[in-house]
């Protein structure tokens, strides 16, 4: 059975004209049926008074569709976007964040980059830097399996997008736009790329992402720039389209070339690759490094099988765990991991103290390989997760404590089981009485819900700790807590068993 396409709307600069936009959306949905999402690029807020926005912010009015927006492009509107990681601005209106990847429950993958280009340091709060673009490319492009993304959202146009294509009107794409966005589009190979800021509509002819006769065929990219909402010239500011997520498409269907396809605009000629060619993956770190310094008293290291390395001169090598497509704060091989917080390591999983924990023994169970959620774990990883949970229950019970396990598979890239159908967003809770609670997330969901509930007066009575960022301590104090936990947990450490 063919996958039902998602019906999406994309919009240019709203500039505070929320009623005009949402009334237009309502009219379209009344005539053509409901759409799944509205994606807004460019300036969402304008220089107009805030009275209209207050009606949406307070709930007096409500957006008629789930709406995702990019962040500020100028200093004046930075005040509306307080959380760089994204947040809910009003009911049905969500700020995606400064940069990142949003994967819907359908598998649709949207990469977003807020702000305008800046080559100066420090980078203003309304801009992105070469480092931001590089991190997004690295996050996705460093695996051989990477084919591209479904949608790329930026506010600026990519520089040179008009090369080899139809006329871009009054916009000179050799002078306007961002070279960094061009580089990003070259590397990510989006099927659709939306931008704004130039107050005009331009739908470029689709372009190739491969060199004919030299590379295997790849899907084409469609670049669409949208005008500002309610413009007097009645230029197009709202674009409707249907899309089946790339990961669900037949390969042959995906790479079909439109009859009007052109050369890639970001290459100087049809045979010269741009500077946005695929970045080489970083050298993988040896698995053995994970096991240094975890047992200071004995001063030994364990092999990746979880046993003492001196027990066998040729320990069996485990199957290589899944690798992240780029930087990940929780993959053990990643340099982003704060390894001083790691307190125990098994064959497939490890324990780490939570950053800014609710208590001194708030720990996370994390897979060593890169998995987004429990439903994606292989059988041997699930087995070790369960072993860790059972061991932690015994450990806490011996100390007169109880524990709660929860997982949020929503706007997260790496599974985190917290102790204090694939692709679907959900929230899962497991109590030490054996009760299990499951909630399927369909729309908005508080990212810190589990933590906020546990911190409430009814449970731990530490409401001031509901935000982990307000609970951070020095690295020295974190190291002390980690040493204490390792020492206390050692009698229960099943990874030391022969």
């Amino acid at each position: 059975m063919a996958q039902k396409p998602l019906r999406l709307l994309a919009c240019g600069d709203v500039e505070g004209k929320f009623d005009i936009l949402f009334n237009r959306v309502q009219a379209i949905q009344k005539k053509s049926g409901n759409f799944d999402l509205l994606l807004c690029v460019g300036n969402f807020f304008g220089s107009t008074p805030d009275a209209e926005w207050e009606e949406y912010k307070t709930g007096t009015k409500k957006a008629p569709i789930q709406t995702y927006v990019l962040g500020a492009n100028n200093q004046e509107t930075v005040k509306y976007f307080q959380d760089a990681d994204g947040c809910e601005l009003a009911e049905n209106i969500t700020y995606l964040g400064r940069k990142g990847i949003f994967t819907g429950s359908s598998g649709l993958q949207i990469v977003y980059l807020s702000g305008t280009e800046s080559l100066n340091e420090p980078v203003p709060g309304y801009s992105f830097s070469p480092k931001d673009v590089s991190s997004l490319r690295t996050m996705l492009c460093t695996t051989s399996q990477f084919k591209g993304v479904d949608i790329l959202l930026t506010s600026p146009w990519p520089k040179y997008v008009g090369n080899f294509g139809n006329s871009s009107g009054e916009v000179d794409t050799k002078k306007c736009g961002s070279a960094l966005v061009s580089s990003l589009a070259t590397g990510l190979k989006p099927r659709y790329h939306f931008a704004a800021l130039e107050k005009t509509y331009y739908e470029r002819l689709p372009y190739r992402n491969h060199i004919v006769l030299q590379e295997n065929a790849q899907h084409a990219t469609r670049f669409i720039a949208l005008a500002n909402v309610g413009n007097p010239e009645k230029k197009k500011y709202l674009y409707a389209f249907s899309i089946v997520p790339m990961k669900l498409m037949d390969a042959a269907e995906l790479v079909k070339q439109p009859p009007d396809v052109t050369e890639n605009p970001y290459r100087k000629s049809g045979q010269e690759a741009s500077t946005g060619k695929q970045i080489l993956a970083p050298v993988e770190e040896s698995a053995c490094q994970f096991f240094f310094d975890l047992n200071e008293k004995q001063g030994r290291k364990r092999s990746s099988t979880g046993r003492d390395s001196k027990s066998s001169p040729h320990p069996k090598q485990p199957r290589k765990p899944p690798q992240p497509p780029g930087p990940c704060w929780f993959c053990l091989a990643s340099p982003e991991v704060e390894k001083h917080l790691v307190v125990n390591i098994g064959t497939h999983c490890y324990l780490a103290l939570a950053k800014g924990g609710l208590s001194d023994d708030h720990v996370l169970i994390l897979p060593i390989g890169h998995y987004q959620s429990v439903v994606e774990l292989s059988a041997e990883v699930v087995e070790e997760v369960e072993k860790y949970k059972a061991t932690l229950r015994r450990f806490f019970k011996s100390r007169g404590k109880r524990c709660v396990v929860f997982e949020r598979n929503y706007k997260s890239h790496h599974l985190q089981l917290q102790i204090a159908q694939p692709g679907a967003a959900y929230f899962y809770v497991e109590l030490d009485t054996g009760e299990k609670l499951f909630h399927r997330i369909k729309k908005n969901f508080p990212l810190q819900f589990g933590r906020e509930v546990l911190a409430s007066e009814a449970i731990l009575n530490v409401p001031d700790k509901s935000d982990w960022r307000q609970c951070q301590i020095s690295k020295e104090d974190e190291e002390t807590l980690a040493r204490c936990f390792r020492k206390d947990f050692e009698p229960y450490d099943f990874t030391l068993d022969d």
Side-chain angles (χ1 to χ4, degrees), residues 353-482:
L353 288 183
K355 188 82 171 174
L358 283 166
S359 61
D360 290 350
D361 46 14
H362 180 174
V363 293
L364 311 177
I365 302 175
L366 301 124
I368 291 173
H370 188 76
Y371 299 91
Q372 182 170 339
S373 65
V374 162
V375 293
E376 296 181 356
L377 297 180
S378 58
E380 63 267 23
V381 182
V382 169
E383 182 181 356
E384 192 163 274
V385 166
E386 293 300 321
K387 204 167 185 179
Y388 265 122
K389 287 195 291 187
T391 302
L392 285 165
R393 288 191 191 101
R394 291 197 305 273
F395 169 69
F396 285 119
K397 186 176 181 180
S398 72
R399 302 170 71 82
K401 296 182 178 182
R402 302 182 64 184
C403 66
V404 175
V405 178
F406 68 91
E407 179 200 359
R408 167 179 53 81
N409 182 34
Y410 176 70
K411 288 194 175 183
S412 59
H413 302 294
H414 190 115
L415 164 63
Q416 308 159 48
L417 272 183
Q418 307 209 29
I419 308 296
Q421 99 201 58
Y426 61 82
F427 186 82
Y428 172 79
V429 180
E430 190 173 319
L431 306 179
D432 59 4
T433 58
E435 294 174 90
K436 298 178 182 179
L437 310 174
F438 180 87
H439 172 68
R440 174 72 180 273
I441 300 172
K442 295 182 178 178
K443 289 190 176 180
N444 297 333
F445 191 80
L447 297 186
Q448 299 297 327
F449 176 76
R451 186 182 179 105
E452 289 170 0
V453 170
L454 290 172
S456 67
E457 295 180 1
I459 302 180
L460 292 177
N461 194 22
V462 286
D464 56 320
K465 291 190 174 184
S466 59
D467 186 342
W468 70 271
R469 289 165 293 194
Q470 306 301 318
C471 308
Q472 294 187 70
I473 57 178
S474 68
K475 183 177 179 180
E476 291 75 16
D477 288 341
E478 288 177 337
E479 289 172 339
T480 299
L481 289 179

Side-chain angles (χ1 to χ4, degrees), residues 333-345:
S334 171
E336 280 77 20
V337 170
E338 298 193 50
K339 293 187 172 65
H340 67 282
L341 294 174
V342 176
V343 293
N344 190 265
I345 301 178

